């Protein structure tokens, strides 16, 4: 089974690729944001028969459940800001009568990934605008109580995978807390190291996984 791992930027791609030397895995930087990630992933899937797609990279973590340096495996990949603002608050696109806002990775694969890496398990939110305030962080957690992290590509990657009928997984290493933007608190090198270490443990699980094991 050939695997496609989609990261946002080259530094994430390189951190993941170190775990897969010689394996039937293509690690590709698909770009920042759900739209570009979806388009680039769909293009890659159109040219090669993959058995699994993994969205991987660094992310903001909701505190205290996902501290900086920790690894998160998504059991739910949700577009957190796809919908409409109303006088009563945010309404997801599904409640407007169309679209999709959530993809769920295969349960057996999530369990195996968590067991192999010691990662935390929960929802990973996809946003087009990174959270920068306490108020927005609180609002996201209120709407998504199982959320552990937010990033910008997972839902786009999952949409492309679903279009091609390929299962998807999302794995994130936490580089910063979700909330007020404080660049001094970001630990990107630590998160990249955690990503490499996590995928070193995860690689055998991904390579041996049978997509019929749900």
């Amino acid at each position: 089974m050939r695997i496609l791992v989609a990261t946002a930027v080259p530094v994430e791609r390189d951190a993941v690729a170190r775990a897969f030397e010689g394996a039937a895995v293509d690690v590709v930087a698909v770009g920042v944001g759900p739209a570009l990630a979806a388009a680039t992933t769909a293009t890659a899937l159109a040219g090669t028969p993959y058995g699994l797609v993994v969205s991987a990279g660094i992310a903001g973590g909701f505190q205290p459940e996902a501290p900086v340096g920790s690894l998160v495996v998504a059991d739910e990949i949700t577009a957190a800001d796809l919908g409409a603002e109303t006088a009563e608050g945010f309404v997801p696109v599904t409640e407007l009568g169309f679209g999709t806002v959530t993809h769920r990775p295969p349960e057996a694969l999530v369990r195996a990934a968590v067991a192999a890496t010691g990662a935390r398990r929960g929802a990973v939110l996809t946003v087009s605008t990174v959270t920068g305030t306490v108020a927005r962080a609180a609002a996201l957690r209120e709407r998504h109580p199982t959320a552990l992290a937010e990033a910008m590509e997972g839902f786009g990657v999952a949409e492309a995978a679903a279009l091609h009928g390929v299962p998807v997984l999302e794995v994130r290493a936490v580089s910063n807390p979700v909330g007020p933007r404080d660049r001094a608190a970001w630990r990107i090198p630590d998160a990249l190291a955690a990503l490499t270490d996590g995928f070193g443990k995860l690689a055998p699980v991904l390579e041996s996984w049978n997509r019929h094991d749900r």
Side-chain angles (χ1 to χ4, degrees), residues 62 130-140 150 177-181:
F62 288 96
V130 173
T131 298
T133 67
V134 170
R136 185 167 191 251
L140 287 175
E150 71 164 28
V178 175
R181 289 178 63 79

Side-chain angles (χ1 to χ4, degrees), residues 135-193:
R136 185 167 191 251
L140 287 175
R141 284 304 300 271
E142 183 177 359
R143 293 203 304 267
H144 307 282
T146 67
L148 293 183
E150 71 164 28
M152 300 183 75
E153 294 78 34
F155 184 78
V157 172
E159 285 277 84
L163 180 67
H164 287 270
V166 182
V168 67
L169 184 69
E170 184 167 13
V171 180
R172 295 282 173 173
V174 177
S175 60
N176 57 279
V178 175
R181 289 178 63 79
D182 178 8
R183 293 299 296 267
W186 290 14
R187 299 290 182 267
I188 292 177
D190 292 343
L192 292 173

Side-chain angles (χ1 to χ4, degrees), residues 27-182:
V27 186
V28 179
V30 297
V32 175
L36 182 56
T40 309
T41 301
T43 299
L45 289 170
T48 304
Y50 290 101
L52 176 67
V53 177
V54 183
S55 178
I58 62 176
F62 288 96
Q63 305 302 301
E65 293 84 357
V68 173
S70 64
L71 199 69
V72 172
V73 172
D75 57 12
E76 173 187 313
I77 303 168
T78 292
D81 53 9
L82 181 59
E85 290 289 350
T86 73
E88 290 73 37
F90 178 80
V91 178
V93 71
T94 47
E95 292 186 20
L96 300 176
F98 52 90
T100 298
V101 294
T102 294
H103 293 279
R104 297 188 183 278
E107 173 64 24
L109 182 56
V110 171
R111 288 197 309 268
V114 169
T117 62
R120 290 157 170 81
R121 168 182 173 154
V124 176
L125 307 181
T126 298
V127 295
S128 294
T129 302
V130 173
T131 298
T133 67
V134 170
R136 185 167 191 251
L140 287 175
R141 284 304 300 271
E142 183 177 359
R143 293 203 304 267
H144 307 282
T146 67
L148 293 183
E150 71 164 28
M152 300 183 75
E153 294 78 34
F155 184 78
V157 172
E159 285 277 84
L163 180 67
H164 287 270
V166 182
V168 67
L169 184 69
E170 184 167 13
V171 180
R172 295 282 173 173
V174 177
S175 60
N176 57 279
V178 175
R181 289 178 63 79
D182 178 8

